Amino acid sequence: DVLPVLKSDMSDPAELPSALRWSHLGVASIYIALGAAGFFGWGREVEGNVLESMCDHPGCPGTTPHGVSPGTKWYVGYVLSVAVVANLMVTIPVVFYCVFRVLEAQSSKLQESGVLNACMRLAVYLGAVLVAVSMPFFVEILAVLSTAILVTLQVFLPVAMTFALSRRCSKADSGSNVVVTFGLVEVALLALGLLVFSVGMAGAVRNLAAVAMSW
């Protein structure tokens, strides 16, 4: 995971919980506001990618029936596209941070040469872009994998570990200073995870099947 790596490189690792709270609060606020705006503007007719809804009637390229000319794209759509690209430019380096650290640990030349290190990072970026561009149904496949992996890593696995540790603590010596309990919070989190997994996976598989049949 990227968090242990980032924490080890922080000047004050004790500030990580505060940084996570404020960053997640900011991201959640932005996502909720944009999601609400998209639903308020188009309702259930909004496309999975809201940019594909930002066109005049009858719709954006790729969303109209065959032979029907798409409508004119909105200028606000271009602005939002630039914002998406800016977000990716900030997010992708964080996502690849662990990959870079592993590669640097395997080669002393990458640690000694800034030019070689920069070339390595650029090659990783370009390789990821090449895979995304050349793979059919990349977005739909990514949605399926993301739903399965993220919910498992962020919900199911922590709940399972908490349950296992609580069982171990209950069997251990009562004088131990380490106490791990499994209670209503974990049960509620598990239920939320199952709900998110079911809804997300159903939608992701449905979208993948739709594009595969129309390919």
Side-chain angles (χ1 to χ4, degrees):
D1 197 357
V2 70
L3 285 180
V5 180
L6 291 176
K7 184 176 181 180
S8 65
D9 289 343
M10 292 179 66
S11 58
D12 187 1
E15 293 184 353
L16 180 61
S18 177
L20 289 176
R21 282 194 297 269
W22 285 107
S23 61
H24 280 71
L25 179 61
V27 171
S29 300
I30 294 173
Y31 276 28
I32 292 174
L34 294 179
F39 185 78
F40 179 79
W42 293 276
R44 298 182 63 86
E45 300 300 322
V46 67
E47 298 291 338
N49 182 353
V50 71
L51 293 175
E52 295 181 350
S53 296
M54 294 184 172
C55 296
D56 292 334
H57 184 77
C60 293
T63 64
T64 57
H66 181 70
V68 177
S69 300
T72 304
K73 294 182 178 180
W74 299 353
Y75 288 109
V76 69
Y78 290 104
V79 174
L80 186 57
S81 299
V82 173
V84 171
V85 173
N87 174 70
L88 291 175
M89 293 178 65
V90 175
T91 304
I92 289 179
V94 177
V95 174
F96 280 113
Y97 189 68
C98 290
V99 177
F100 298 150
R101 289 294 300 271
V102 170
L103 294 176
E104 291 169 357
Q106 300 298 321
S107 174
S108 59
K109 294 183 179 180
L110 292 177
Q111 302 176 21
E112 298 169 356
S113 174
V115 175
L116 188 60
N117 192 298
C119 292
M120 177 272 293
R121 297 188 178 213
L122 181 60
V124 172
Y125 289 142
L126 294 178
V129 172
L130 180 61
V131 170
V133 172
S134 59
M135 178 181 293
F137 323 131
F138 174 78
V139 174
E140 290 75 18
I141 294 175
L142 182 62
V144 174
L145 295 177
S146 298
T147 302
I149 295 175
L150 292 180
V151 177
T152 299
L153 291 180
Q154 298 181 4
V155 179
F156 297 153
L157 187 59
V159 170
M161 293 180 64
T162 302
F163 178 75
L165 290 174
S166 66
R167 297 261 325 241
R168 179 174 297 182
C169 289
S170 64
K171 296 179 180 179
D173 184 9
S174 58
S176 175
N177 294 327
V178 179
V179 178
V180 179
T181 60
F182 188 90
L184 292 178
V185 174
E186 287 73 23
V187 174
L189 184 60
L190 178 60
L192 178 62
L194 290 173
L195 177 62
V196 172
F197 182 86
S198 301
V199 175
M201 185 60 71
V205 172
R206 183 169 58 251
N207 292 337
L208 177 59
V211 297
M213 292 180 62
S214 62
W215 190 45

